[in-house]
Amino acid sequence: MKKQLHVISDGKLSLEVFAEIAGKVAPFADKFHLREKNRTSRELYEGVELLCNEGIPIHKIVINDRVDVAWTCKTGVHLAFHSLPVHVVKTHFLDMPIGCSVHSLEEAEEAAKQGADYVLFGHIFRTDSKKGVPPRGTGSLQALKKAVEIPVLAIGGIKPEKVPEVLEAGADGIAVMSGILQAKDPVEAAKLFSNKLNAEGK
């Protein structure tokens, strides 16, 4: 099964720039997450339009937290600890793909029990976005992967050279922010991640 590469917006770039990069790296990525905590629902809606205008199909777009925008745009939704519970979203939006961020084995088991389609677990390695917070490491990832049957994606400080280690621990894919969005050449970076994921995963 192909290993997934999810590209997550970092809230630093304009939505126009994120969409432009997404359009260029689309051949190598499976999903694009609009993770924009400070934007309005209207701005997120416009962000989806920008992505679509760059040729990103709607099934590749994921909205973080905002179920209303995801439902309106017919995208997937990705839930955080402060979002609506998975089972509530599942009950009211039967066909909506649902991902969930988790930070422990217990949270992953609960998300799976409630009907999440996949979980995002991290942070795996040290990362500037989580300064002072110890990384969870690949050992925790391996234990979590054994405990749940849904796909587990790893996030946090994952550089291309770390991909084999993450796959070794059982990850079904990875999510990347700055490793692609802040790279000198985002297309080359995305291509490298994709090659590493699927060369190692065969």
Side-chain angles (χ1 to χ4, degrees):
M1 186 177 162
K2 183 179 182 290
K3 302 293 182 182
Q4 298 259 310
L5 174 60
H6 290 208
V7 179
I8 301 183
S9 73
D10 58 8
K12 298 172 188 171
L13 300 174
S14 71
L15 293 177
E16 287 81 3
V17 171
F18 176 67
E20 196 179 316
I21 293 172
K24 290 174 182 170
V25 307
F28 309 106
D30 300 283
K31 300 282 183 189
F32 292 93
H33 293 234
L34 280 172
R35 181 180 181 272
E36 301 285 329
K37 297 177 181 179
N38 300 318
R39 294 197 187 272
T40 64
S41 51
R42 179 189 284 267
E43 287 173 315
L44 288 171
Y45 178 80
E46 288 167 356
V48 173
E49 286 190 324
L50 288 167
L51 287 168
C52 291
N53 290 342
E54 291 289 343
I56 308 299
I58 208 77
H59 71 267
K60 277 192 168 191
I61 302 173
V62 179
I63 304 284
N64 271 49
D65 185 36
R66 297 299 300 268
V67 180
D68 55 340
V69 181
W71 179 78
T72 303
C73 298
K74 303 292 180 275
T75 69
V77 71
H78 189 85
L79 304 172
F81 68 93
H82 58 263
S83 304
L84 288 171
V86 173
H87 70 90
V88 172
V89 179
K90 201 78 177 171
T91 302
H92 293 281
F93 305 96
L94 297 177
D95 299 325
M96 187 182 288
I98 301 172
C100 190
S101 290
V102 298
H103 303 94
S104 69
L105 193 146
E106 293 75 24
E107 286 180 15
E109 288 178 325
E110 185 58 31
K113 192 169 89 179
Q114 290 192 24
D117 296 297
Y118 68 90
V119 293
L120 198 53
F121 176 67
H123 59 292
I124 303 298
F125 303 111
R126 290 193 187 284
T127 169
D128 287 344
S129 65
K130 302 279 185 184
K131 276 185 177 164
V133 183
R136 291 180 169 83
T138 52
S140 299
L141 172 63
Q142 193 165 21
L144 189 145
K145 177 62 189 163
K146 285 177 181 169
V148 297
E149 291 184 2
I150 58 174
V152 176
L153 277 73
I155 189 171
I158 301 172
K159 296 179 167 56
E161 61 271 21
K162 294 281 193 183
V163 170
E165 194 181 332
V166 171
L167 295 180
E168 189 81 18
D172 296 288
I174 61 170
V176 180
M177 294 168 79
S178 58
I180 289 173
L181 299 178
Q182 304 296 335
K184 282 182 185 170
D185 186 335
V187 176
E188 278 306 306
K191 187 177 178 182
L192 184 55
F193 274 113
S194 178
N195 288 345
K196 285 275 184 186
L197 277 168
N198 289 296
E200 303 293 339
K202 284 173 187 171

